[in-house]
Amino acid sequence: MNVLIIGGGGREHALAWKLAQSAGLNTLYCTPGNAGIANVATLAALDAGDHPAVIGFCTTNQISLVVVGPEVPLVAGLVDALENAGIAAFGPSPKAARLEGSKTFTKELCARHNIPTAAFQHFNNAPKAKMYARQQDLPIVIKADGLAAGKGVIIAETTNDALNAIDDCFEGEFGEAGTEIIIEEFLTGEEASMFFLCDGQNALPLGTAQDHKRVGEGDCGPNTGGMGAYSPAPVMDDAVIQKTINQIINPTLRGMSEMGAPFKGVLYAGLMIEDGQPKLIEYNVRFGDPECQVLMMRLKSDLLPLLIAACEGNLADMSIEWRKDAALTVVLAANGYPGTYQKGSVIEGTDSLDSKFVQVFHAGTAIDNGKLIATGGRVLNVTALGKNVVEAQRRAYAAVDQINWPEGFCRRDIGWRAVARGAK
Ligand code: AMP
Ligand code: GLY
């Protein structure tokens, strides 16, 4: 079958790399893709927001399945548009994508179904929000309700910071996303994520991971899209995984189904674990980036039949095989990221790095005059397998050290929590 992937980041390169190995695949397309994806798929120039154009491309190229990577086209309803045109699409409907698109929607679902999460209040004006914030313990968390590209969360250490954050939201700092906000309790513990393949009724665990959101070593500096990740996350032991499934994921799927918005696609639970108890921080309705890269390295099963089963409601009959290895990915980003950065610098030394244990997944890259150039903030994901996180980390950094890109940087401590635990 022919498959189209929507997206052009490291996540989509990892999905493309894995799907390209599928027995059932005929031609793989990707839009917009990047220089790495071009090695495993045919790139197409399409505007994912132009649904008729995507449908037209699918019809012309006999696409039987569209895999939507990022949240924006999901929330904008691309999956419904494709399905209405008779084209199978992997990902949630826009109604189900509200789990990521509206924090209030998710918090209210949690409240209705007793899903463990931080205590919260919802506000649509600054004075009431400020009155509430003044009465709360510190730190306190202020969140824009809608999609804010990972930037709509402020952890305020002082009441003054909280009041300023509330003003910023209502004064348009996060655009439409901030016209409603939630204020929630600050959770302590260790953060991890868990991914599930969902078909509306069933959830098949896709593994656990830990991201490194801050730009600087030791988890300092501003938040980014993610500077590196590893899988599995040791804090997610069997007991925590069972609690996550029973107390968080199953009630969510039931609740969504009861609302007439059954969830299909990847449900990504951002969790805080304290004393063996997981609490939901937030949902995303897609694979994480860079978490997808480590999951795809560990996945032994063919991905394509799993995605098709999720679309068709047949996951109850499926199982997934995983490698025993751990995987770790290091993000190389352009100097200046997540602030302003230059585009167009030349990257050398990536050509001969891929091996049985190492894959370099591309994010913001292109080929210019035969040379690999950086075109984005996050640019490469150097990903490695190992018998544990320590070995995967060693292999990943050995590969990073072969890359010659003076205009880029990476964190040198990806995996530190697992390493500190003795990384079994
Ligand atoms: P999000 O954009 O919702 O993923 O939030 C960004 C980050 O803020 C999360 O990964 C957490 O590290 C942190 N965060 C969000 N909500 C809370 C909370 N209630 N308590 C503590 N940390 C939080
Ligand atoms: N790595 C975090 C995310 O994909 O949202």
Side-chain angles (χ1 to χ4, degrees):
M1 81 162 44
N2 296 343
V3 176
L4 169 67
I5 298 176
I6 308 279
R11 166 181 52 208
E12 288 76 24
H13 189 185
L15 291 171
W17 169 78
K18 188 67 192 166
L19 284 174
Q21 300 167 42
S22 176
L25 184 83
N26 192 5
T27 306
L28 184 61
Y29 296 90
C30 183
T31 180
N34 59 39
I37 296 176
N39 294 327
V40 286
T42 304
L43 302 192
L46 282 169
D47 171 4
D50 183 348
H51 297 173
V54 178
I55 291 166
F57 180 88
C58 290
T59 309
T60 308
N61 294 286
Q62 296 172 320
I63 305 284
S64 310
L65 175 69
V66 179
V67 180
V68 185
E71 62 276 19
V72 171
L74 290 169
V75 171
L78 179 57
V79 166
D80 271 6
L82 287 162
E83 284 180 350
N84 289 338
I87 301 157
F90 177 78
S93 68
K95 267 171 128 183
R98 282 178 297 175
L99 282 174
E100 177 164 358
S102 167
K103 297 196 192 294
T104 308
F105 174 86
T106 300
K107 294 300 268 189
E108 286 174 353
L109 182 92
C110 289
R112 278 199 305 280
H113 296 274
N114 290 323
I115 295 170
T117 187
F120 78 104
Q121 287 286 325
H122 165 254
F123 297 94
N124 56 18
N125 68 73
K128 280 202 175 136
K130 286 182 176 176
M131 201 170 9
Y132 177 79
R134 281 199 182 91
Q135 294 157 4
Q136 303 307 308
D137 293 336
L138 294 165
I140 185 124
V141 185
I142 320 284
K143 296 186 175 180
D145 178 74
L147 289 185
K151 297 187 185 105
V153 175
I154 299 108
I155 296 173
E157 303 283 346
T158 66
T159 302
N160 233 1
D161 287 352
L163 302 181
N164 287 336
I166 292 167
D167 277 335
D168 286 349
C169 285
F170 286 112
E171 282 165 12
E173 173 98 12
F174 307 111
E176 274 297 297
T179 55
E180 297 185 33
I181 67 164
I182 58 171
I183 299 184
E184 65 179 44
E185 166 202 11
F186 178 76
L187 297 175
T188 51
E190 184 169 342
E191 221 178 314
S193 27
M194 185 157 184
F195 298 82
F196 296 86
L197 200 54
C198 302
D199 68 358
Q201 309 298 327
N202 306 289
L204 210 52
L206 274 176
T208 61
Q210 253 170 345
D211 189 9
H212 298 62
K213 284 191 204 271
R214 303 296 191 107
V215 73
E217 277 154 31
D219 293 330
C220 61
N223 261 335
T224 68
M227 293 302 294
Y230 58 90
S231 172
V235 67
M236 296 294 293
D237 60 25
D238 290 347
V240 178
I241 288 176
Q242 263 322 308
K243 283 185 189 162
T244 303
I245 294 171
N246 297 338
Q247 300 174 7
I248 300 177
I249 302 302
N250 287 343
T252 299
L253 286 195
R254 261 199 318 275
M256 294 301 287
S257 192
E258 282 164 17
M259 290 171 77
F263 188 89
K264 289 187 184 186
V266 171
L267 188 57
Y268 159 167
L271 304 165
M272 188 71 87
I273 296 97
E274 189 168 45
D275 301 330
Q277 175 61 47
K279 287 189 178 169
L280 182 71
I281 299 177
E282 58 155 3
Y283 275 130
N284 294 312
V285 297
R286 51 173 173 83
F287 279 106
D289 186 346
E291 295 92 326
C292 183
Q293 291 79 312
V294 284
L295 295 183
M296 289 306 111
M297 286 289 272
R298 293 187 54 228
L299 179 61
K300 224 177 183 177
S301 303
D302 189 336
L303 178 61
L304 188 52
L306 288 166
L307 300 187
I308 294 169
C311 291
E312 292 178 347
N314 291 332
L315 280 182
D317 306 329
M318 305 293 283
S319 59
I320 307 187
E321 264 194 277
W322 298 94
R323 288 181 207 287
K324 285 202 189 73
D325 316 60
L328 181 141
T329 187
V330 177
V331 171
L332 271 65
N335 291 338
Y337 175 82
T340 49
Y341 52 83
Q342 303 280 317
K343 294 183 182 178
S345 54
V346 174
I347 305 164
E348 289 173 338
T350 58
D351 284 347
S352 53
L353 295 179
D354 292 350
S355 69
K356 198 169 144 205
F357 300 117
V358 174
Q359 289 293 323
V360 179
F361 295 120
H362 291 216
T365 65
I367 299 289
D368 186 31
N369 276 326
K371 293 202 162 104
L372 183 66
I373 59 160
T375 59
R378 292 191 295 171
V379 172
L380 295 172
N381 304 257
V382 180
T383 313
L385 288 169
K387 62 180 181 297
N388 53 31
V389 174
V390 174
E391 189 175 57
Q393 185 193 52
R394 188 177 50 70
R395 286 192 177 129
Y397 282 113
V400 166
D401 290 338
Q402 304 291 309
I403 297 174
N404 180 15
W405 181 36
E407 294 83 1
F409 73 99
C410 67
R411 275 179 62 165
R412 299 294 310 191
D413 65 345
I414 301 304
W416 68 267
R417 276 197 191 81
V419 172
R421 276 169 188 266
K424 283 188 264 336

